[in-house]
Every structure is written in C-alpha cells, then in structure tokens.
Amino acid sequence: MKNLKEELNIIINNTEIFDIHTHLFPSNFKTHYLSGIGEVLNYHYLIAELLTSTNTTPNAFYNLNNNDRAKLIWEELFIKQTPVSEACKGVLTILSSFEIDYSSKSFDQINTEYLELNLSDQDILNRSKISNLVMTNNPFDLEEWKLFEKKDWNSDVYLASLRLDDILLDPNKCIQTAKNKIQDNLNERDLIIKYLDTAYEQSNPVYAAISLNKDQLSTLIENKIFSYIFEWLKLKNLPLSLLLGVKRQVNKEFLLAGDGIDRVDLSYLSKLCNKYPKNKFLCSCLSLNDQHELTVIGRKHSNMRIFGFWWFMNQPTLIEMIMNLRIELLGFNFIPQHSDARVTDQLIYKWSHFKVILNKILFSHYSELVLRGFKISEEKIITDVNKLLSKNALDFIS
Ligand code: FIX
Ligand code: ZN
C-alpha cells in the first residue's frame, strides 16, 4: 500500500455517504427547498453569532428581508470580524470549493457569482458523494406534508423520517389533525396510531424521531400515547431517533437561533432500551457532558445506535475527542456523522470538514495497529470507511 494518509484520503473521498439526519427537501418542493449562498448566510448558527457579537437587535434583524439579512451577516461577520468560527469557516469552504474569490467583495458580488454557477441539488449531492439523505418530515405540519402528494422528486435519494415532537408539544393539535384526516369515531390513542399509519403509507419513512429536553426524556417512558407509539414502531420495525438535551427557546427573541442545551439524565435512555428490547433506538446528545455516558450506554444495549455530532457538538475539537472515545469503546460500530443541513449547499462544508477529522483519526488508529504487526490493506480500509459513512446507518434502519 502507498502512503497511508494519501490512501485514506482517496478512499474517504470516493466513499458514498448516507446522510442520516438533515432538514433538506428536494428542489421541486419549492416552498421548502433552500439553496444558494444567501440562504447559507441566513443559517441560524450565523444569526446567533451576529446577534451576540454586534449591536444588531433581534427585532431589527428579523425585520429585514432575507437578502438584507445575508448582506448584514456578510458585512458584520466576514468583513468587519475575522470569520473564524466553525459556521463562518463553513461559508468560506463552500465559496472556495467553487473557486469564488471572496476577498474584499460585497455580498451582492459574491451572490451574483454564486448564482452564475446555477447549481442543482443533484450537483451538490454528487459533489459531496451523498447517495441518500434523510429528511425531517412532520406529519402534523400539513403544509410541509404536501411534499408526499407530489410525485416529481426522487424518493430513492430523499428518504423520509417522521418527526414526532408535536405529539409531546401539542397533543391536542395532533389529535385534531388526526381526527380531521381520519374521519372516524376512534378514541384519541387509536386516532393517532391510525394517522401515523396513513403517514407511514404515504411517506415510507426510515425512522421516526423526536427531540427531547430533560423533563421530556424522563417522562417519555410513562407517556400514554408514546406507549402505543412504541408498540406501533415495533410492529413497523421502525427505529426511534432520540435527539437528547435541547432546551428550546432559551432566548425567545432569537427565534430559531434561540435554542440551547438542557441537562438530561441518560439513565432514562437505558431504561427505554430495557423496557422496549425489540424496539430500535438511534441517539445523539447535544451536550459534551453526556458523551461519555452515551458511549458506555452504546456498549450495553444492542438496540441503540449512537449517531452524529449534533449541532453544538459539531465542532472539530469536540468531534476529534469524542470520536476517538467512541472508537476506543465501540470500535467502528456507530454512525459517526450526519449533516443536519438546512440549506443544500451546506452539505459541501459539513461533510468536507468532517472528512478531514475522519482522515486524521483513522490514520492514528491504523498506525497504532501497524505498530502491533496488524496488516492494513486497502480492502480493509474501504470496508471500514464504507461502514462508517454508509453501511452502519443502512444496516440499522433496515
Ligand atoms: O431538532 C433538530 O433536528 C435540530 O437539528 C434543529 O432543530 C436545529 O435547529 C438545527 O438546525 C441543528 O443543527
Ligand atoms: Zn436536526
């Protein structure tokens, strides 16, 4: 084998990716599809950075249109300040990957050059080597759910997931939605299950998902509706993805940029895995505090699979440390990353930044094996990288 680092680079860049959690929609779903450098600059990670590092008030910011918001973010974070945060670097990665020389240019100039690229969503998926991605689909958001009435998009590439947060946040609204759609005299529990059945038939989801704060996690196990949902998920062989440790709206004025971290008690995750041994769980935790315990839980329950570095965890320093820990405790038996992309173009930076870390980490682990006389072949690396970027996720959801 040639130089290990170079070999790893080639294999990582040639391996197809299954992106297990995004907020993307196909381009034909025009009301929800987000793309382009203006939308990239409107990312809520950058909005939070703007609102906490400049004199711009949330009110003044949100009164602007999207174009003016992007312009302001570009001026404040990229021209007046040094764009050194991970979210800022992401924007620069996207621009430089298309060889757009952004230095001393205004947002309008960059936007014009970017629009001239005329990128389709499939161009971006091809460039990032994404074979499939999982959307976030809320069956109780009827506008968003209209996607499944349309047939002009590729459901082999864009896979569905059923986002169930609303059942905990607003059960009455969900029951009403189910009642309107099902038109049957069922009790509330059966209405929800029947509605989920319909949603399942329409969307063919690969998992259901829910994000939880501390209290929601500790009470999920005794939640009446969810006890039936767990039964239903088991029948459908559908994993439940648990996104743990978000505290919504710690600063309400920031809107989508105002969510923070909550402290969760992961013993409830273990309890769920034990109570529902035939159900499958995916899990990602938002706080660094929970990562060690989560990894140990990953060694104790074969019906739970750790995935990704969610949101505030998606920082290179944390990824490197925690991914090493995961490998040390679990081998390659976890799903190391998801993009959480909201704008299609973000796939470029989310995955290219991760690949740099993956290369570094695999290099150090393989080097240690070589020191112990283990033979690393090209074939072995291809198998491992494929597991990490695709197969582990596919196997768990199938
Ligand atoms: O709940 C989620 O799926 C989160 O990923 C989002 O709500 C969050 O706003 C986000 O974009 C994080 O990356
Ligand atoms: Zn998400």
Side-chain angles (χ1 to χ4, degrees):
M1 200 171 53
K2 298 173 255 173
N3 173 307
L4 176 59
K5 222 174 186 109
E6 190 45 34
E7 190 68 37
L8 266 168
N9 205 18
I10 295 168
I11 293 171
I12 289 172
N13 284 319
N14 283 330
T15 303
E16 292 203 321
I17 294 171
F18 181 96
D19 193 341
I20 197 164
H21 172 57
T22 79
H23 296 262
L24 298 176
F25 292 98
S27 56
N28 281 349
F29 193 44
K30 297 213 168 35
T31 49
H32 288 68
Y33 175 66
L34 295 179
S35 70
I37 205 67
E39 291 297 348
V40 166
L41 286 164
N42 267 289
Y43 196 22
H44 67 79
Y45 292 25
L46 293 167
I47 295 174
E49 206 175 314
L50 174 89
L51 296 179
T52 49
S53 68
T54 67
N55 290 330
T56 313
T57 63
N59 197 23
F61 178 77
Y62 285 118
N63 269 327
L64 300 172
N65 63 36
N66 262 21
N67 198 65
D68 288 343
R69 290 178 192 178
K71 210 180 247 179
L72 182 64
I73 290 182
W74 180 255
E75 277 161 20
E76 291 291 342
L77 300 186
F78 293 81
I79 297 178
K80 291 191 193 158
Q81 299 186 37
T82 306
V84 72
S85 70
E86 173 63 8
C88 283
K89 280 183 196 145
V91 178
L92 302 185
T93 301
I94 298 173
L95 292 172
S96 59
S97 83
F98 292 111
E99 287 164 19
I100 293 181
D101 175 8
Y102 52 80
S103 47
S104 327
K105 285 193 185 152
S106 68
F107 167 70
D108 286 335
Q109 287 169 301
I110 291 160
N111 196 27
T112 306
E113 283 182 49
Y114 200 89
L115 287 171
E116 279 165 9
L117 299 170
N118 209 4
L119 297 164
S120 71
D121 56 344
Q122 197 54 53
D123 289 337
I124 290 170
L125 265 59
N126 293 345
R127 205 182 173 91
S128 309
K129 281 227 163 272
I130 312 251
S131 55
N132 317 80
L133 60 84
V134 183
M135 304 175 284
T136 297
N137 309 101
N138 178 357
F140 301 100
D141 176 340
L142 298 181
E143 275 308 304
E144 189 201 284
W145 197 256
K146 284 185 180 158
L147 171 67
F148 299 103
E149 290 163 13
K150 292 165 71 70
K151 296 282 167 269
D152 56 355
W153 55 280
N154 191 342
S155 56
D156 293 331
V157 173
Y158 286 87
L159 307 174
S161 72
L162 295 177
R163 188 67 179 242
L164 303 182
D165 290 31
D166 284 6
I167 297 181
L168 286 187
L169 293 174
D170 195 349
N172 291 335
K173 178 197 89 175
C174 296
I175 289 161
Q176 197 51 51
T177 306
K179 214 177 247 172
N180 296 344
K181 289 280 167 184
I182 300 299
Q183 304 276 343
D184 211 328
N185 251 348
L186 298 169
N187 62 40
E188 294 182 345
R189 171 195 91 201
D190 291 344
L191 270 174
I192 292 283
I193 297 297
K194 197 152 181 209
Y195 183 63
L196 289 181
D197 258 332
T198 317
Y200 179 94
E201 292 307 322
Q202 285 175 306
S203 63
N204 192 23
V206 290
Y207 61 76
I210 186 161
S211 70
L212 301 167
N213 64 25
K214 179 182 194 288
D215 294 341
Q216 291 168 327
L217 174 60
S218 61
T219 52
L220 191 68
I221 203 150
E222 64 210 31
N223 182 291
K224 275 268 161 346
I225 298 185
F226 261 85
S227 64
Y228 295 102
I229 293 178
F230 280 121
E231 274 309 307
W232 179 80
L233 291 168
K234 186 176 76 184
L235 280 174
K236 301 283 184 206
N237 192 28
L238 213 54
L240 180 64
S241 173
L242 299 167
L243 293 150
L244 302 183
V246 58
K247 192 170 191 155
R248 300 286 178 194
Q249 298 294 276
V250 296
N251 185 344
K252 291 190 176 51
E253 292 192 333
F254 280 22
L255 307 183
L256 186 58
D259 295 341
I261 288 186
D262 204 8
R263 291 173 194 282
V264 290
D265 178 349
L266 284 186
S267 68
Y268 287 100
L269 172 62
S270 219
K271 285 183 189 139
L272 279 172
C273 293
N274 280 327
K275 181 160 182 198
Y276 299 104
K278 297 224 158 66
N279 283 65
K280 296 192 279 186
F281 298 94
L282 287 156
C283 188
S284 209
C285 288
L286 196 52
S287 171
L288 174 60
N289 298 328
D290 297 316
Q291 301 303 324
H292 183 227
E293 190 176 356
L294 175 66
T295 314
V296 174
I297 292 174
R299 281 171 69 92
K300 305 298 154 191
H301 299 284
S302 58
N303 58 339
M304 193 280 284
R305 203 57 90 246
I306 295 170
F307 79 96
F309 288 90
W310 185 28
W311 198 351
F312 307 120
M313 278 304 299
N314 193 33
Q315 319 302 335
T317 43
L318 300 184
I319 297 175
E320 192 172 335
M321 173 171 76
I322 301 304
M323 192 147 130
N324 271 315
L325 174 75
R326 288 181 185 173
I327 292 173
E328 283 158 7
L329 280 164
L330 304 168
F332 289 146
N333 301 303
F334 59 97
I335 300 158
Q337 189 58 313
H338 66 274
S339 73
D340 235 313
R342 288 177 172 267
V343 182
T344 305
D345 313 60
Q346 290 169 335
L347 291 169
I348 294 167
Y349 96 79
K350 298 265 186 176
W351 283 105
S352 70
H353 288 198
F354 177 69
K355 285 174 182 180
V356 173
I357 308 169
L358 183 63
N359 189 327
K360 187 173 173 196
I361 290 178
L362 291 183
F363 178 77
S364 82
H365 286 280
Y366 286 138
S367 301
E368 288 198 31
L369 294 183
V370 170
L371 280 178
R372 289 160 176 81
F374 190 87
K375 297 265 178 297
I376 302 288
S377 62
E378 185 181 341
E379 207 185 351
K380 190 133 210 84
I381 301 177
I382 291 175
T383 307
D384 289 344
V385 173
N386 181 43
K387 268 182 78 159
L388 290 167
L389 294 182
S390 184
K391 190 168 182 296
N392 284 349
L394 278 165
D395 286 352
F396 197 73
I397 61 172
S398 58

